[in-house]
Amino acid sequence: GAVVSQHPSWVICKSGTSVKIECRSLDFQATTMFWYRQFPKQSLMLMATSNEGSKATYEQGVEKDKFLINHASLTLSTLTVTSAHPEDSSFYICSAGKQGAGLRDNEQFFGPGTRLTVL
Amino acid sequence: AQSVAQPEDQVNVAEGNPLTVKCTYSVSGNPYLFWYVQYPNRGLQFLLKYITGDNLVKGSYGFEAEFNKSQTSFHLKKPSALVSDSALYFCAVRAYNYGQNFVFGPGTRLSVLP
């Protein structure tokens, strides 16, 4: 158990368009999901923390109006990159925490990532 | 504030030799420490974690890591490297309080030479 999926796995779009990326916890409920961004040959940088039923918490320097996050259910969070530009091209990775009293409840489970290329 | 350092950008090792990927951390309170591996264009795969208990933690694919509280280190090790171990390795720390995000190190690229 504890599988996280992302869709799409890769997307190419034109500058100025919006792109939605989905993150799903397939076999567990996740009240909190995290969105990361990774530039080539760099580490993951946390963009925002997505909380089910409430507004996301954005890290400093991340434009909340550009990166819209919706966490409508306990198994789905979406990241929408609005009016995308070439500099938004990156690898976006989500993760979900599994709540409970078990040994794996301190882990985050990562999705496979979404490669966004903005032309 | 939490932080993670991986002092080596790149580690090269010959196949069959032991490997070590270094990690040091800074965190308030008790740390949760993790190692993840990333292959090209893929997400992160969990290798192992330290929460509590034995300082030597064994994980997936023959990897292990030793938690050293006095040196605030959590180095990843493997007795005999494989070419297929070549990848990007990330150390991460999380504070004790559940709900706080992970802080990742900058990553170390491991190359195992045949």
Side-chain angles (χ1 to χ4, degrees):
Chain A
V3 178
V4 176
S5 70
Q6 280 184 243
H7 178 79
S9 55
W10 59 269
V11 57
I12 301 173
C13 69
K14 292 182 179 180
S15 184
T17 61
S18 295
V19 175
K20 180 185 284 187
I21 302 170
E22 294 185 348
C23 176
R24 293 182 184 271
S25 56
L26 298 184
D27 50 4
F28 67 99
Q29 293 184 333
T31 55
T32 303
M33 290 183 172
F34 302 88
W35 286 97
Y36 296 86
R37 184 173 181 177
Q38 185 182 29
F39 290 105
K41 300 184 179 181
Q42 294 189 27
S43 188
L44 282 73
M45 298 300 296
L46 180 68
M47 298 174 65
T49 302
S50 170
N51 299 298
E52 187 268 336
S54 65
K55 291 182 178 181
T57 303
Y58 291 82
E59 296 299 300
Q60 191 172 10
V62 178
E63 299 177 59
K64 61 181 180 181
D65 294 331
K66 180 169 185 63
F67 298 99
L68 301 179
I69 291 173
N70 184 280
H71 195 154
S73 76
L74 289 173
T75 59
L76 173 64
S77 175
T78 60
L79 168 68
T80 301
V81 183
T82 63
S83 186
H85 291 285
E87 57 264 31
D88 298 325
S89 299
S90 188
F91 195 51
Y92 293 86
I93 301 175
C94 74
S95 70
K98 189 177 183 182
Q99 284 190 308
L103 288 176
R104 303 200 73 182
D105 297 318
N106 298 303
E107 290 182 38
Q108 283 188 23
F109 301 93
F110 287 83
T114 297
R115 170 80 54 197
L116 170 63
T117 301
V118 185
L119 302 177
Chain B
Q2 306 167 105
S3 66
V4 178
Q6 292 179 242
E8 300 158 317
D9 293 335
Q10 174 91 33
V11 170
N12 297 320
V13 64
E15 187 176 27
N17 283 2
L19 69 86
T20 299
V21 183
K22 297 180 179 178
C23 171
T24 59
Y25 67 90
S26 174
V27 66
S28 299
N30 295 324
Y32 291 162
L33 295 158
F34 301 80
W35 275 102
Y36 288 88
V37 60
Q38 185 181 36
Y39 295 96
N41 295 312
R42 302 288 295 276
L44 273 66
Q45 295 181 32
F46 171 79
L47 280 180
L48 50 79
K49 66 180 178 182
Y50 171 81
I51 303 298
T52 187
D54 290 340
N55 290 342
L56 184 63
V57 179
K58 293 187 183 296
S60 306
Y61 313 119
F63 284 94
E64 59 186 31
E66 185 165 12
F67 171 62
N68 187 317
K69 188 173 183 178
S70 63
Q71 296 184 6
T72 61
S73 67
F74 190 56
H75 301 331
L76 180 71
K77 299 181 180 183
K78 187 173 182 179
S80 178
L82 300 173
V83 173
S84 57
D85 293 329
S86 299
L88 191 56
Y89 290 81
F90 291 101
C91 181
V93 67
R94 182 181 184 182
Y96 176 77
N97 183 26
Y98 177 85
Q100 294 192 26
N101 58 279
F102 282 23
V103 173
F104 286 87
T108 298
R109 185 163 300 280
L110 172 68
S111 292
V112 181
L113 308 174

